[in-house]
Amino acid sequence: KAYDKTAIRVFTDDTRADAWLCAEACVSGYVLVTYETSSNSIKTIKIPNVCDAFGIACINGFDFMRKEGFRF
């Protein structure tokens, strides 16, 4: 998928955590937990889209809590 140049610049901005989180999860084999959902827009890059593209395991925060047995 070809993203808009502005979307790439925003996602990879050093002051934002998203790209750093994806990179760390990729190289360390971590599962990335996020409440973001995938987007079909070329103007916005979402964490689940990056995870899909790079084969990074990614789950929703609620699924994480269920898996870990959180009780409220």
Side-chain angles (χ1 to χ4, degrees):
K1 182 180 207 175
Y3 287 101
D4 181 78
K5 289 179 183 181
T6 301
I8 294 169
R9 189 171 47 252
V10 168
F11 188 83
T12 59
D13 185 319
D14 286 349
T15 63
R16 295 176 41 97
D18 292 3
W20 293 105
L21 291 170
C22 292
E24 184 65 36
C26 185
V27 299
S28 299
Y30 294 150
V31 175
L32 209 146
V33 180
T34 182
Y35 288 99
E36 284 188 354
T37 56
S38 296
S39 172
N40 290 326
S41 173
I42 64 167
K43 294 182 183 239
T44 305
I45 301 174
K46 298 290 187 175
I47 289 173
N49 296 104
V50 174
C51 290
D52 287 343
F54 288 93
I56 303 166
C58 180
I59 62 172
N60 177 287
F62 295 115
D63 292 335
F64 168 76
M65 287 187 272
R66 274 188 217 97
K67 181 179 180 225
E68 293 300 318
F70 283 38
R71 300 275 183 238
F72 297 95

